[in-house]
Amino acid sequence: MSEHWRERKEGGGRFAIWLISRIGLRCGRGVARLCLYPITIYFYFRRPYERRVSYAFFERIDGRRPGVGKVLRHIHRFAATLLDRVFLLAESKARFDVRMHGLDELIARMQPGRGVLLLGAHVGSFEVLRAATLGHPEVKLRVVLDTQKTPALTRLLHALNPEIGLGVIDASRPGSEIVLAMSEALAEGALVTLLADRVRDAERTVAVDFFGAQALLPIAPFALGGILDVPVVLCLGLYRGGNRYDLYFEPLADALPRARSERDGAVRALAQAYATRLEHHVRLDPCNWFNWHDFWNPQGGGVDRHEPAGQLAGSDARDAA
Amino acid sequence: MQTATSSSPGAQSPAESELAQLIVDSLNIDWIKADAIAPDAPLFGAGELGLDSIDALELALAISKRYGFQLRSDNPDNRQIFGSLRALSAHIETHRAAS
């Protein structure tokens, strides 16, 4: 595989995202959600790689090939959370039923001069967290986000709610600046959030057991808590269909060793704890898994990049295995 | 490299030598001696030192402790400042707390 996930084009493009958000804001979420059905079908046929990733993902976690319906539902869930990002930011969370879990444990760890590192993942919708803090100006939220990865969507969301743009730490900047920015925000008592399940180019990795196989996670998110002496809390916003979201906060570590000599073991243990809890939540509701690339084989070899010649879309299920 | 130092390309100035020792000590570097760090060689990425973002953070903390000033994430010259021992040393000498 020569194509890293960072180079994958944003699905749908700028016009489609603009169109669906206009429909949504003008005609309401209900009408926009009707558009998700044709969009799901379109995505299924036009994004064969992501489709095969979905088949392979369900086969890995269920031990058998999923039916077409399951993969369609997976895509539909993804499209629905993308659409909801517009509403979560434009209209606050009033229309959504967001159930919080572990909020007290998070609040207990927040101090004025010492923030909390929140580790998320590409599951469900992280936007629920941003929306949840919008009515609370006393809570400083900084989100590490690669604005170059989904430029159209990022521009749109920031246009809808400029307050959000200010809270972004741009992950397309050099790594040293990202960690310094995180350090500065944590020193101001901010909640600093980072999606810890994707490896950037040439980044050092740590191997974890995830759904019974080895997967690689980036080291930095699991080393930062120790270096900066802040608590690390898992944060997942999972979509449950309709207008329902569950937002989970689960403490992963409160005091990590500062010394370099003890760090490697602590980083491995923390990364594994993260992977174990992530697996728990994904197993309960797999359609929230939104890593549309071959998570277990980042260098390729797992899911075919290219459409096998002469095969109809949808009948290439075997190739994903 | 346009810095205030007038030393020859290969040799470390006293300030650079002190910073090189701080880098080696604070990051537990055992594959290169402090006095062997070339002043103009890249500190980060694919160089002899090959430091990463976590090293950058630790180095920033060590510099703050030793020299009493913070490297900032929003400095537009960061790329240059973190570019080499010489550039980083020059930046520190300009901004360090008066002692």
Side-chain angles (χ1 to χ4, degrees), chain A residues 21-250:
Chain A
S21 67
R22 292 315 299 173
I23 292 171
L25 293 173
R26 191 165 281 266
C27 309
R29 182 166 173 264
V31 172
R33 277 174 70 86
L34 288 177
C35 303
L36 295 181
Y37 295 103
I39 286 170
T40 299
I41 303 286
Y42 176 86
F43 190 93
Y44 184 90
F45 286 105
R46 290 302 301 269
R47 304 284 284 199
Y49 173 69
E50 282 81 357
R51 182 180 71 233
R52 283 194 288 270
V53 164
S54 177
Y55 274 105
F57 167 70
F58 285 115
E59 181 153 1
R60 178 183 293 274
I61 64 167
D62 294 338
R64 60 173 188 277
R65 299 287 312 167
V68 176
K70 200 162 201 174
V71 172
L72 287 174
R73 185 158 166 258
H74 191 198
I75 298 169
H76 183 269
R77 276 288 168 92
F78 180 60
T81 60
L82 284 184
L83 176 65
D84 275 352
R85 290 176 74 174
V86 171
F87 292 100
L88 281 163
L89 295 182
E91 304 180 358
S92 88
K93 62 182 198 300
R95 67 162 69 231
F96 293 96
D97 173 16
V98 180
R99 288 166 294 188
M100 306 267 216
H101 308 267
L103 184 60
D104 292 344
E105 298 199 73
L106 173 67
I107 290 170
R109 285 164 177 78
M110 291 166 66
Q111 293 173 22
R114 181 168 172 264
V116 176
L117 182 61
L118 294 179
L119 298 184
H122 289 80
V123 297
S125 180
F126 214 62
E127 221 63 64
V128 181
L129 174 67
R130 291 213 268 193
T133 60
L134 280 178
H136 299 272
E138 74 280 7
V139 178
K140 284 183 241 148
L141 180 69
R142 303 296 307 273
V143 180
V144 179
L145 187 75
D146 192 339
T147 55
Q148 304 301 308
K149 175 62 183 153
T150 52
L153 189 61
T154 303
R155 258 198 307 276
L156 170 75
L157 295 176
H158 291 182
L160 284 173
N161 198 325
E163 195 186 322
I164 288 292
L166 300 174
V168 169
I169 295 174
D170 187 355
S172 64
R173 291 156 71 190
S176 51
E177 290 191 13
I178 302 169
V179 292
L180 280 178
M182 292 175 69
S183 164
E184 289 156 12
L186 286 164
E188 291 168 6
L191 298 175
V192 175
T193 67
L194 180 66
L195 302 185
D197 58 343
R198 276 196 195 162
V199 180
R200 286 155 53 98
D201 299 310
E203 200 177 11
R204 282 194 295 157
T205 55
V206 53
V208 292
D209 183 69
F210 190 57
F211 283 103
Q214 178 183 289
L216 295 178
L217 297 176
I219 278 187
F222 305 101
L224 284 169
I227 296 170
L228 296 171
D229 191 27
V230 291
V232 182
V233 174
L234 177 74
C235 174
L236 303 175
L238 299 178
Y239 180 48
R240 304 305 193 190
N243 66 343
R244 294 180 308 279
Y245 284 86
D246 281 308
L247 183 56
Y248 294 91
F249 300 103
E250 297 185 3

Side-chain angles (χ1 to χ4, degrees), chain B residues 44-55:
Chain B
F44 293 88
E48 199 170 6
L49 269 170
L51 306 183
D52 65 9
S53 58
I54 291 296
D55 296 321

Side-chain angles (χ1 to χ4, degrees), chain B:
Chain B
M1 191 56 60
Q2 61 284 31
T3 64
T5 55
S6 57
S7 54
S8 63
Q12 295 172 357
S13 71
E16 287 162 5
S17 158
E18 186 190 347
L19 177 61
Q21 194 61 49
L22 181 71
I23 292 173
V24 167
D25 291 345
S26 61
L27 303 180
N28 279 13
I29 289 168
D30 56 8
W31 60 92
I32 182 168
K33 291 246 185 301
D35 56 14
I37 297 175
D40 287 325
L43 295 171
F44 293 88
E48 199 170 6
L49 269 170
L51 306 183
D52 65 9
S53 58
I54 291 296
D55 296 321
L57 181 58
E58 290 211 81
L59 185 55
L61 293 172
I63 286 171
S64 142
K65 217 180 263 177
R66 169 76 63 91
Y67 299 101
F69 90 99
Q70 308 274 346
L71 290 162
R72 296 289 307 180
S73 66
D74 52 3
N75 190 325
D77 299 327
N78 269 341
R79 198 174 288 273
Q80 193 239 325
I81 293 166
F82 283 105
S84 67
L85 177 66
R86 180 153 292 167
L88 186 56
S89 176
H91 181 70
I92 291 170
E93 292 309 307
T94 315
H95 294 92
R96 64 188 293 178
S99 54

Side-chain angles (χ1 to χ4, degrees), chain A residues 208-215 272 275-276 278-279 282 289 295-296:
Chain A
V208 292
D209 183 69
F210 190 57
F211 283 103
Q214 178 183 289
Q272 185 59 60
T276 301
L278 182 60
E279 177 179 327
V282 172
W289 178 253
F295 193 75
W296 287 264

